[in-house]
Amino acid sequence: MTDPSSGRAAPSGVPDLGELLSQVARGDRDAFEQVYERLCGPVYGTALRVVRDPAQAEEVAQEVLVEVWRKASHYRPDRGSATAWALTMAHRRAIDRVRSAQAGRVREERAGVPDPDYDVVAEQVGTRLEHQQVRRCLRGLTPTQRESITLAYYGGYTYREVSELLGVGLAAVKTRMRDGLIRLRDCLGVQS
């Protein structure tokens, strides 16, 4: 028997995560213990890869597992595996944590540093031109390359998550992204 939530063979008699989540949605604490045991490591690992700080990753993992408890009824098996559902929450929560920390640092820097002397208009024009060039180069990619790169870099998804979202193999996603990034680099004239 294969556990559709993880793609691995589930020991006989052990419910898959999807079944356990439906029990958790009904308030079953024992089912949540099993969900917790099966997801705590992967959720922590996902958070740690993004935030790169063990203490922050622990906080993110705790928040996500509480969210799994509270929102178990929101899980939809037809939209993906239970593991992917939880890891997507972990990835998004970790990205939010990083962005929040960055925004705090930027606020602190702005508060402590006087305005620099430079031509704001010239910088804005330069930035706008760079953005236009990136958009033009993105249009030069194949649709599959553009979709994979957009999901990864603008959507914040990992290779594996992009693979699951697009329904293609992980190797295919990596190849698309590598080839697309090489084409972007060449189009933008970036020296490697």
Side-chain angles (χ1 to χ4, degrees), residues 130-156:
E130 288 172 3
H131 289 194
Q132 288 172 352
Q133 185 178 11
V134 169
R135 281 193 291 276
R136 181 181 52 77
C137 290
L138 277 170
R139 283 192 301 270
L141 301 177
T142 66
T144 56
Q145 290 171 338
R146 185 172 43 253
E147 185 176 32
S148 297
I149 288 172
T150 301
L151 285 170
Y153 289 93
Y154 295 110

Side-chain angles (χ1 to χ4, degrees), residues 167-187:
V168 297
L170 182 60
V173 166
K174 288 181 177 182
T175 300
R176 287 178 186 176
M177 290 183 63
R178 183 197 67 229
D179 293 348
L181 290 172
I182 289 170
R183 288 177 71 181
L184 277 176
R185 180 194 68 200
D186 293 345
C187 178

Side-chain angles (χ1 to χ4, degrees), residues 18-98:
E19 293 171 13
L20 289 170
L21 282 174
S22 65
Q23 294 171 15
V24 170
R26 293 188 299 268
D28 185 331
R29 291 177 185 268
D30 293 331
F32 182 71
E33 277 186 42
Q34 292 179 54
V35 168
Y36 181 91
E37 287 300 317
R38 289 166 69 179
L39 289 178
C40 67
V43 165
Y44 173 77
T46 298
L48 184 59
R49 273 196 343 260
V50 175
V51 299
R52 306 228 185 263
D53 173 23
Q56 294 271 341
E58 286 177 12
E59 288 179 19
V60 169
Q62 180 181 1
E63 292 168 5
V64 169
L65 290 165
V66 168
E67 189 172 358
V68 166
W69 168 256
R70 290 181 181 156
K71 295 186 176 183
S73 64
H74 294 183
Y75 167 65
R76 300 287 175 257
D78 58 321
R79 297 182 75 194
S81 72
T83 302
W85 177 70
L87 295 182
T88 298
M89 282 193 290
H91 188 258
R92 289 179 179 160
R93 180 76 55 127
I95 287 174
D96 289 345
R97 179 69 61 104
V98 169

